[in-house]
Amino acid sequence: MNKIYVWDWFVRLTHWIVAILFLANYFVLPKGSEPHQIAGYIVIGAVVLRLLWGLVTHSPARLSEFKPSIPKALDHIRSVIATGEDDHVGHNPAGAIMIWAMWALILITAFTGWGTQLDAFIHAKWLRETHEIFANITMLAVAVHISAIVVMTRLTHRSYVKGMWFQRKQ
């Protein structure tokens, strides 16, 4: 199936807000600066709103539509390698594991960053180090996510990126 599923506007909006601001915080904005903090707060808000959206929407973006399952993800990967097809609308089983992992990592990164600014933890070196460790793990997950999109696009000849651009359904 090569038809492109285009995510709803809210999913696309929150995806790109999180992606752009996480990358800006990781690569561009000075660590601990006010813009870095504001970007982190916006990321928390965007992820929380996306999770709330996933509770109320009636689309493939609904959280119950892509419950993480390692056995299903492995079966899916084997199937794609064998057939070159991915007929899932929305997240496939491997993508489900990745998105849940990324949401958790992003929230842990953001909340540990927020914690470093609280008076009770302002001098807690362990919390700053935890924040940096989770930022690095999150960046690794981002790299795996992007790599998986490239590999899946090549294996299935289906454009996964187009589903996240602002366009009409095809």
Side-chain angles (χ1 to χ4, degrees):
M1 176 176 150
N2 287 332
K3 186 171 181 175
I4 298 167
Y5 174 75
V6 178
W7 291 94
D8 64 65
W9 69 271
F10 195 82
V11 170
R12 293 190 316 250
L13 177 65
T14 56
H15 174 272
W16 289 113
I17 287 171
V18 170
I20 290 166
L21 292 180
F22 176 80
L23 293 173
N25 263 357
Y26 195 87
F27 290 114
V28 179
L29 300 174
K31 292 178 183 177
S33 67
E34 187 174 351
H36 182 94
Q37 292 173 31
I38 290 169
Y41 298 144
I42 293 170
V43 166
I44 291 172
V47 172
V48 169
L49 287 172
R50 169 59 182 94
L51 292 170
L52 292 172
W53 179 249
L55 294 173
V56 299
T57 188
H58 297 288
S59 74
R62 188 171 186 84
L63 299 180
S64 61
E65 292 292 317
F66 54 97
K67 297 174 187 170
S69 166
I70 291 173
K72 287 182 182 177
L74 293 173
D75 286 345
H76 172 71
I77 292 167
R78 282 190 286 269
S79 173
V80 169
I81 290 170
T83 66
E85 293 182 12
D86 178 14
D87 60 356
H88 288 86
V89 175
H91 288 293
N92 63 46
I97 290 174
M98 180 52 76
I99 189 59
W100 283 102
M102 286 178 58
W103 283 333
L105 290 167
I106 288 166
L107 289 175
I108 292 168
T109 301
F111 281 116
T112 56
W114 172 66
T116 65
Q117 301 306 307
L118 298 175
D119 289 340
F121 299 110
I122 199 90
H123 299 292
K125 183 178 177 183
W126 67 268
L127 190 57
R128 284 191 308 279
E129 290 172 352
T130 301
H131 176 66
E132 285 188 34
I133 288 166
F134 275 96
N136 290 330
I137 295 169
T138 303
M139 181 52 67
L140 178 62
V142 168
V144 170
H145 173 63
I146 293 168
S147 298
I149 291 167
V150 170
V151 169
M152 286 293 291
T153 298
R154 292 189 142 235
L155 287 174
T156 65
H157 306 287
R158 174 181 173 185
S159 177
Y160 293 85
V161 174
K162 284 186 181 179
M164 267 301 162
W165 289 119
F166 292 87
Q167 64 185 30
R168 293 202 167 112
K169 293 187 183 203
Q170 296 182 357

